[in-house]
Amino acid sequence: MPGVELCVEEPIGVTEAAQVPQQRGEQLLDAAVRYAEERHWDVFPGTWLEAVEGTERCSCGDAACALPGAHADRPDWAGQATGSGAAARRMWSKQPRASVLLPTGRTFDALDVPEAAGFLALARMERMDLTLGPVTCTPDRRMLFFVLPGAAAKSAELVRTLGWNAEAIDLAGRGEGHYIAAPPTRVGGRGAVQWARKPTTVNRWLPDVDELISPLAYACAREAADARTRAL
């Protein structure tokens, strides 16, 4: 993607495109405990990657798994999620390779957008001096912006009032009944989920969806229009 560096040491700037700072290595267990204890996020362990005949396969056993090593491994995952650091430590001690999954709709919702639009929106938000929460960047070239719970239920209507269709511009809200993979979870051979904006004491208080929806929708609409132009 022109103008975007995915792994650099400098923090995200406000130039043509924002950038993902280089990630430091961290164990999955340590990350899960830290999310529960420091951010008070519920966490639960998902699938993991296993070596099978010289290749990595998802522990679910499906050779064609769409999210190898990065999805829930049981239908009752919502009841398994915990906000206790001690409970998280016990669960990941049993399977240290398990992915770290965070249920949405509890302490936060997430706005899911294409990576190109996400970087454009980040740069614009910084110029607007908006308060941002944590933001993840996935190996599937998506970005997820953490916002206050309730965002998923009203994001489509908010986009509509701005003159766009959320589905058409590829902007989705993730709320109750959904979950996301958290860093440093790895998705098969595609790479690991990373923080574009790490959780810090500064962004402990999340923004409301109303604060971010305009720059995000604008960026998504622009990227969708550019994609149609490239397809011609």
Side-chain angles (χ1 to χ4, degrees), residues 52-100:
V52 179
E53 297 179 351
T55 61
E56 285 188 320
R57 296 280 181 85
C58 184
S59 62
C60 71
D62 182 0
C65 180
L67 292 169
H71 63 87
D73 68 346
R74 48 194 288 182
D76 62 341
W77 60 264
Q80 186 187 21
T82 178
S84 163
R89 187 175 297 280
R90 286 195 298 271
M91 288 191 288
W92 269 270
S93 293
K94 294 177 181 177
Q95 181 45 260
R97 293 178 295 166
S99 52
V100 180

Side-chain angles (χ1 to χ4, degrees), residues 100-171:
V100 180
L101 305 179
L102 310 176
T104 50
R106 300 187 181 186
T107 51
F108 66 88
D109 277 9
L111 297 175
D112 184 340
V113 302
E115 181 185 84
F119 279 117
L120 177 64
L122 274 178
R124 190 179 185 206
M125 288 172 184
E126 285 203 339
R127 290 193 295 270
M128 297 168 67
D129 200 28
L130 292 181
T131 299
L132 291 170
V135 182
T136 63
C137 186
T138 76
D140 297 318
R141 306 184 75 82
R142 306 291 299 182
M143 292 183 76
L144 293 104
F145 290 72
F146 287 36
V147 290
L148 289 172
K154 58 182 182 179
S155 59
E157 178 61 21
L158 288 172
V159 171
R160 189 190 67 77
T161 62
L162 292 170
W164 293 295
N165 176 282
E167 184 176 356
I169 64 174
D170 200 9
L171 187 158

Side-chain angles (χ1 to χ4, degrees), residues 177-215:
H178 296 269
Y179 61 83
I180 65 172
T185 296
R186 195 156 59 87
V187 186
R190 303 172 208 168
V193 181
Q194 299 186 67
W195 289 114
R197 276 287 182 274
K198 294 182 179 180
T200 66
T201 55
V202 176
N203 63 23
R204 180 172 296 278
W205 305 107
L206 299 176
D208 189 77
V209 61
D210 303 76
E211 301 173 56
L212 306 188
I213 198 67
S214 180

Side-chain angles (χ1 to χ4, degrees), residues 31-46:
V33 172
R34 181 167 57 82
Y35 296 148
E37 292 184 343
E38 295 182 10
R39 299 299 292 202
H40 305 292
W41 292 339
D42 283 0
V43 298
F44 70 97

Side-chain angles (χ1 to χ4, degrees), residues 18-32:
Q19 301 170 331
V20 173
Q22 188 174 28
Q23 311 291 303
R24 292 181 172 84
E26 182 177 28
Q27 296 297 316
L28 291 158
L29 182 152
D30 294 335

